[in-house]
Amino acid sequence: MSQMEVEIKIGGRSFEVACQQGEEQYLLSAAQLLDTEAQVLVTQIGRMPEARMLLMAGLMLADKTAGLEERLRETQDKLKAVEGELAEVKAQPAPAPEKVEVAVIPDDLTDALAEIAARAEALANTFDEAQAG
């Protein structure tokens, strides 16, 4: 791959940086991260020598990166612990199926209840007619 020059801005200053063709977006993303830190310095301190600004911005970015790496390690450790627990659970035999009894209402009882309901409704209708008439 051929090299190319890319202009980046950090802390309000322009720099020409060489990179491999196809890697421009990575360079611009990295420059944006560094510029964000440099802008904080410029806002807080004001104008400072280029080398000092780049050094301080780089150190601030490195500090953030170190914090993220520590969080990543902690998360990976937690993930390993959870994966271990999951493996233990998967290794255990499945519990024995539980026997569940479902009550079955006999057909003749269902028929008898339907007959009683029909008689009760007929009586209610007769009562309603007697009250109305």
Side-chain angles (χ1 to χ4, degrees), residues 23 40 80 101 108 113 123:
E23 294 182 353
V40 170
K80 284 181 185 176
E101 293 187 27
D108 53 339
L113 289 173
L123 283 172

Side-chain angles (χ1 to χ4, degrees), residues 114-129:
E115 179 68 29
I116 292 171
R119 285 184 188 177
E121 190 151 334
L123 283 172
N125 287 338
T126 304
F127 178 77
D128 287 343
E129 289 173 6

Side-chain angles (χ1 to χ4, degrees), residues 1-8 10 14-28 30-31:
M1 284 190 175
S2 62
Q3 281 198 343
M4 59 182 304
E5 292 284 322
V6 176
E7 182 181 348
I8 60 172
I10 298 174
S14 294
F15 300 90
E16 289 287 326
V17 180
C19 71
Q20 297 293 326
Q21 192 166 357
E23 294 182 353
E24 302 90 352
Q25 195 56 47
Y26 299 112
L27 175 61
L28 292 172

